[in-house]
Amino acid sequence: MAITLICPDKDPNPWIKALKALDPDLDIRIWPDDTPREDVELALTWAHPKGVLKAYPGLRCISSMGAGVDHLLSDPDLPRDVPLVRLKDKELVKDMAEFLLLSVLFYFRQFDLYQQAQSEGKWMPMPPLEKKDLPVGIMGMGQLGATAADSLKTSGFSVAGWKRTPASDGTIDLYIGDGQLQAFLARTRILICLLPLTDQTRDILNRDCFDRLPKGALLINAARGGHLNEKDLIDALDQGQLSGAILDVFKTEPLPAGHPFWSHPKIRITPHVSSQTKPSSVAPQVLENLRRLRQGLPLLNPVSLDNGY
Ligand code: NDP
Ligand code: OXD
């Protein structure tokens, strides 16, 4: 029995190395290959070409190579009877929390304004901001959002989270569902998106959302480009409703040459690196799922096809 890696845009070698380090006998195939497909039990995938998964008749588990599964669920030919799992990982969570703390501090310490002043050759000290004046709001309080919220709160920021279902534990103020979205946005000066991309969240970062934030608010999108209405962002920045945005993810990746985001003075770009999966950190859970599959046990980190995450 075998597993296959289907990740045409990623180097499979670190994955092979990490998996083989734990199980040297593991039979690993790399798509595209011409080995028999019948004995492949598990497919580990990132941005697979649509339709290829249905060519594996013996498939019993599909695993994302990341936390997100939108790349899988957008495949109309996804074999929907095969259980789908994703990765949950301490390193992924830590790296995202770090990226977001850095991004929030960038604005809190006014690096955006000092960069601008430097480009104009101006020595322009400004009075310091106060953390209480920059309340942070995190959309999506799952594995990534919850830890990022704790780390920002520990650093002294006032943090609230927005999620779909009620929860009673934790120390972060929570706003639940569409009914509380408006109140959540009204109290937020730095808006962070860490939602999964689903039918409900696509394009959620739009004009209406920006208009409900206080004037001059800031946006950090580390989730998916599909959450953002690009034109609405540019309008909101140009009209001063938003004063800056840090974007790590884009509708089209790599971001095409000449895209207006590249040169917009109020946009900072990173190339989908806010939290990158480390194969050596996640290989144990992939192999644990293979073991569970073979023993008929419940899989780790299952995805709900109904919820889309
Ligand atoms: P989780 O599934 O753990 O958490 C998702 C959160 O979003 C949950 O709190 C969930 O609410 C909330 N949510 C989902 N739908 C809605 C909705 N309609 N309204 C309100 N809240 C909603 O996801 P992760 O934290 O693991 O990851 C989040 C996303 O981050 C991934 O899907 C991926 O797209 C992106 N990502 C980006 C990376 C990067 O490098 N840029 C790296 C890794 C992930 P509830 O708790 O009520 O279920
Ligand atoms: C993920 C990502 O979903 O890297 O893990 O975007």
Side-chain angles (χ1 to χ4, degrees), residues 46 65-68 92 223-224 272 275-277:
W46 188 258
M65 285 173 147
L92 207 59
R224 286 291 181 263
H272 200 144
S275 182
Q276 297 175 274
T277 308

Side-chain angles (χ1 to χ4, degrees), residues 113-124:
L113 303 182
Y114 290 125
Q115 277 185 346
Q116 177 64 27
Q118 180 180 353
S119 73
E120 294 166 13
K122 285 190 189 150
W123 181 264
M124 203 180 67

Side-chain angles (χ1 to χ4, degrees), residues 181-226:
L181 180 57
Q182 208 165 315
F184 165 79
L185 294 172
R187 53 79 55 207
T188 293
R189 283 293 308 277
I190 301 186
L191 181 66
I192 295 175
C193 181
L194 276 180
L195 290 165
L197 185 62
T198 66
D199 291 345
Q200 286 69 44
T201 65
R202 190 177 306 282
D203 239 26
I204 193 166
L205 303 172
N206 58 23
R207 173 183 296 271
D208 186 55
C209 164
F210 303 147
D211 284 349
R212 291 180 190 283
L213 293 165
K215 194 168 175 65
L218 298 149
L219 172 70
I220 302 168
N221 186 16
R224 286 291 181 263

